[in-house]
């Protein structure tokens, strides 16, 4: 019998994953959600703790006591200063990693 034709894997089912490390130099609050809205963490983090997370991008972060936190994204330090508003920071990481579609199927 002839071989079955190869089937292309749809990029819709492909999750782009990222690694996030948060260093709490001071007690802080972390709320991190992945692209599927799964809560990767939602808790107070004591000073001195390192939190290692992995999830589908983009990752949405909400940080309380942001001045007391350092962030690494995919192994590189990430400057959260532009997102700080007083003691909180709210931002999204990894949008540039998501495969872009031209939305030609939305009819």
């Amino acid at each position: 019998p002839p071989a079955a034709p190869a089937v292309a894997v749809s990029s819709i089912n492909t999750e782009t994953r990222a690694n996030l490390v948060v260093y709490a130099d001071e007690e802080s609050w972390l709320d991190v959600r992945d692209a599927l809205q799964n809560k990767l963490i939602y808790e107070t983090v004591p000073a001195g703790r390192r939190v290692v997370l992995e999830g589908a991008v983009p990752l949405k972060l909400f940080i309380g006591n942001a001045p007391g936190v350092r962030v690494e994204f995919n192994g590189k330090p990430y400057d959260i200063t532009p997102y700080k508003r007083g003691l909180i920071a709210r931002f999204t990481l990894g949008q540039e990693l998501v495969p872009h579609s031209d939305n030609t199927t939305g009819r």
Side-chain angles (χ1 to χ4, degrees):
V7 177
V9 177
S10 169
S11 64
I12 294 170
N13 296 329
T14 303
E15 283 185 12
T16 303
R17 298 185 73 78
N19 294 308
L20 177 71
V21 182
V22 180
Y23 299 91
D25 296 327
E26 300 172 17
E27 183 176 273
S28 308
W29 170 259
L30 286 182
D31 178 359
V32 180
R33 297 165 197 246
D34 70 5
L36 306 172
Q37 291 303 307
N38 295 317
K39 288 182 186 175
L40 302 181
I41 188 169
Y42 187 80
E43 65 186 63
T44 299
V45 178
R49 186 165 156 208
R50 178 181 74 141
V51 178
V52 180
L53 304 168
E54 180 182 298
V57 293
L59 301 177
K60 294 186 178 183
L61 288 81
F62 178 78
I63 301 173
N65 193 19
V69 168
R70 290 177 290 126
V71 173
E72 265 183 24
F73 182 62
N74 286 335
K76 296 179 184 153
Y78 189 85
D79 182 13
I80 67 171
T81 305
Y83 308 104
K84 291 180 187 173
R85 299 290 177 267
L87 291 176
I88 66 165
R90 188 186 305 256
F91 57 99
T92 302
L93 288 174
Q95 290 172 306
E96 64 280 0
L97 302 178
V98 177
H100 295 290
S101 74
D102 56 7
N103 201 19
T104 57
T105 57
R107 291 191 175 97

